[in-house]
Every structure is written in C-alpha cells, then in structure tokens.
C-alpha cells in the first residue's frame, strides 16, 4: 500500500489536544492520507474543563456516508475514537462494513473511560453499543478501565498475569480479532502494552511516568494506527506508539499550565524517524 488512506471518526475538541486535533496531525505525519468524520464538536474536552459546549453530529453521518458511497470513496482503514452518541455507533459499524476495503483494518479505540470511571457523557447503554463496535474490529485498543467495562469485569489497580489474560479472553469473545491493551503494569515504576493476536501474547514494557496527561490515549492510538498503516506489524506499531507517547509525556512533565493535554508536536520527528 504505497499511499494508504484512512478514515478516522472521533470528536473535534476545539481546545484540549485530544481526538481529531491529535489524530489528524499524527497520522498525517506518518505519511498516511487522513480523512475525518467528526462525531461531535466540543469547545474543549470534558476532562477538567467545565461548561463545555457539545454539538452532536450523529444526524449528519448518514448523508456524509451516502455521498462518499456515490463518489465511490473507500478506505484502507477506519480508526474510531470518542463518539458522539449511542445511536451513532450503528452508523459507524455500517461505515466500517461498507466503506472499508476488503483487506482494510478496523481499529477501535473505545475511548470512554479511565481510572475506573466512565467519562462524563457516557452511560451503560453506550458501553453496550461499544461492545458491538468492538465485534467488527481488527484491533481494539482499550485501557484497563475500558476493558473492564467492555467485559463486565471488576476494575483492579493491582493484578497479575491471570487477570490480564482473562480480560483479553473476554475481549476476544466480543468478536474482535486482536487486542492492544494499554497501561498494563506488572511492577512498580514500569507499565506497558500487551498485544494479543493469532493466539500470541507479546508485552512491551516501558517506564511509568507519574505525570499523567489527558489525551495520551488518543496520541497512542493515532501513532499505532499510522505505524500499522505504514506496514508495521501490530507489535512493532504498539512499541513505536509507546516510545512516541512516553516522549510526549516527558516533554510535558512539570508544565503546570499544560494540564489539559500532552505536547505531542515537538516529538513528531521521533515518530517519523521510527517509520
Ligand atoms: O481523550 C479522550 C477524549 C476525547 N474527546 C473528548 C474527551 C476525552 C476525554 O475525556 O472528553 C471530548
């Protein structure tokens, strides 16, 4: 695939360095043509700002999709993130089934929860619909909180390999082909990524940085998608995305005024050099 074209479906948080304002530059920097379908428009993201505006774009989706179909537009991959409504999830599944090319990948980041809790605008109905989206995915990229919601498992901050194996088993039972589970920590000071596909478990461990930043899940999933579309294996893409994300967090460390997101721009060269 000399010049792959991807569609990413997630919100535009106008300010806050997450979702589309992160995905578009990162995937483009990977050398992948990036088409977008905004799920909603918010003045800021919902994690730490109050009084944000929210315009749901669910009702625009069918006509946008139909226009693309008339124009014979197809994608080499679809990557989904934060969505605007439960109803929208059915439209997204339809787009994956009808506009993704036969061999194309569907990458689903079920961006809906962290630290044991759902994000403010989501509820159990959304979680149930998200299970259906995961069923059509080649790769799902949950953090442990999201994996627990998707599999009706108790959320734990301390766990062993058996707990992670069970989470992965239950995620695969939803119907997805591969799992990229982020934030898996087996020892102090370290965290990492588990990639499970074709019956094979691989783990990439890296330093745990105590300054947690918002939007790093989106940075991670975008870099993973870009690297995958550039022909890297899922495990290579997972590693590249981890190295890049850790650098973004390091750059942002100790920046009190930059609590809302990670400075991903200065590290783009590191990402490009790895591809
Ligand atoms: O980073 C995930 C994300 C994306 N979009 C919006 C969010 C969040 C996390 O809170 O609020 C609007």
């Amino acid at each position: 695939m000399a010049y792959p074209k991807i569609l990413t479906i997630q919100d535009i948080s106008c300010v806050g360095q997450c979702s589309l304002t992160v995905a578009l530059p990162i995937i483009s920097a990977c050398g992948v043509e990036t088409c977008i379908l905004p799920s909603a428009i918010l003045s800021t993201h919902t994690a730490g700002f109050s009084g944000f505006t929210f315009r749901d774009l669910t009702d625009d989706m069918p006509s946008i999709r139909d226009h693309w179909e008339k124009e014979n537009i197809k994608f080499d991959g679809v990557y989904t993130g934060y969505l605007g409504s439960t109803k929208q999830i059915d439209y997204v599944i339809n787009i994956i089934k009808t506009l993704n090319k036969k061999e194309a990948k569907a990458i689903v980041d079920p961006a809906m929860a962290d630290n044991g809790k759902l994000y403010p605008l989501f509820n159990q109905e959304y979680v149930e619909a998200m299970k259906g989206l995961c069923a059509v995915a080649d790769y799902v990229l949950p953090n442990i909180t999201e994996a627990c919601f998707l599999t009706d498992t108790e959320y734990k901050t301390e766990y062993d390999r058996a707990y992670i194996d069970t989470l992965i088993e239950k995620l695969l039972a939803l119907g997805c082909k591969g799992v990229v589970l982020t934030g898996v920590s087996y020892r102090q000071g370290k965290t990492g990524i588990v990639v499970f596909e074709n019956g094979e478990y691989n783990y990439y461990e890296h330093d745990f940085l105590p300054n947690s930043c918002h939007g790093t899940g989106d940075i991670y999933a975008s870099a993973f998608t870009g690297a995958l579309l550039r022909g890297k294996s899922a495990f290579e893409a997972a590693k590249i995305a981890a190295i890049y994300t850790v650098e973004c967090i390091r750059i942002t460390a100790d920046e009190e005024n930059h609590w809302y997101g990670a400075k991903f721009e200065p590290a783009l060269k590191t990402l490009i050099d790895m591809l």
Side-chain angles (χ1 to χ4, degrees):
M1 215 183 301
Y3 190 68
K5 174 157 75 183
I6 191 145
L7 171 67
T8 182
I9 310 174
Q10 43 191 316
D11 73 282
I12 297 176
S13 284
C14 299
V15 171
Q17 280 184 314
C18 69
S19 36
L20 277 183
T21 65
V22 163
L24 188 48
I26 290 177
I27 304 171
S28 293
C30 291
V32 176
E33 181 181 343
T34 311
C35 307
I36 63 165
L37 179 52
S39 58
I41 300 181
L42 297 85
S43 50
T44 64
H45 65 59
T46 66
F49 295 100
S50 55
F52 48 82
T53 68
F54 180 91
R55 181 174 298 275
D56 175 11
L57 296 178
T58 301
D59 292 342
D60 292 282
M61 282 192 167
S63 50
I64 292 173
R65 180 226 165 267
D66 290 351
H67 179 218
W68 288 343
E69 186 168 58
K70 277 202 194 91
E71 293 291 329
N72 211 14
I73 291 165
K74 295 260 184 189
F75 301 102
D76 299 303
V78 174
Y79 150 44
T80 70
Y82 186 107
L83 300 177
S85 70
T86 300
K87 178 179 168 195
Q88 193 174 100
I89 293 180
D90 281 339
Y91 295 148
V92 172
I93 293 171
N94 173 270
I95 287 170
I96 290 172
K97 286 186 172 166
T98 58
L99 299 187
N100 221 7
K101 287 182 190 164
K102 213 159 172 265
E103 302 302 318
K105 300 289 181 221
I107 299 149
V108 172
D109 176 0
M112 60 182 179
D114 207 358
N115 299 315
K117 284 199 212 120
L118 286 175
Y119 294 149
L121 301 180
F122 296 133
N123 56 22
Q124 194 56 34
E125 199 192 346
Y126 184 86
V127 173
E128 294 305 318
M130 184 55 77
K131 291 179 186 177
L133 178 54
C134 290
V136 301
D138 290 283
Y139 297 102
V140 290
L141 281 76
N143 57 37
I144 292 189
T145 301
E146 289 155 348
C148 287
F149 275 106
L150 289 168
T151 59
D152 304 297
T153 306
E154 186 194 349
Y155 172 71
K156 292 186 181 170
T157 49
E158 280 178 26
Y159 45 76
D160 56 11
R161 170 78 192 261
Y163 177 78
I164 296 299
D165 284 349
T166 306
L167 273 182
I168 291 170
E169 233 170 75
K170 288 179 171 177
L171 285 166
L172 292 171
L174 294 175
C176 55
K177 297 199 183 81
V179 173
V180 180
L181 186 59
T182 61
V184 179
S185 170
Y186 291 124
R187 53 191 181 130
Q188 269 232 317
K190 298 281 177 189
T191 187
I193 317 290
V194 171
V195 177
F196 193 94
E197 69 174 335
N198 304 323
E200 213 179 286
Y201 171 104
N202 281 296
Y203 181 58
Y204 175 71
E205 189 180 63
H206 58 82
D207 286 345
F208 173 77
L209 302 182
N211 60 307
S212 71
C213 305
H214 293 298
T216 49
D218 300 344
I219 292 173
Y220 184 83
S222 302
F224 173 84
T225 299
L228 191 77
L229 268 278
R230 283 292 305 274
K232 302 291 182 191
S233 71
F235 188 53
E236 278 173 320
K239 264 201 273 190
I240 288 170
I243 292 165
Y244 173 60
T245 307
V246 168
E247 186 169 337
C248 296
I249 298 171
R250 271 212 178 94
I251 290 169
T252 316
D254 305 323
E255 295 260 0
E256 261 180 45
N257 292 333
H258 210 97
W259 56 270
Y260 52 83
K263 296 181 171 179
F264 67 92
E265 300 90 345
L268 279 171
K269 187 171 179 310
T270 305
L271 174 61
I272 293 165
D273 287 348
M274 288 187 284
L275 296 174

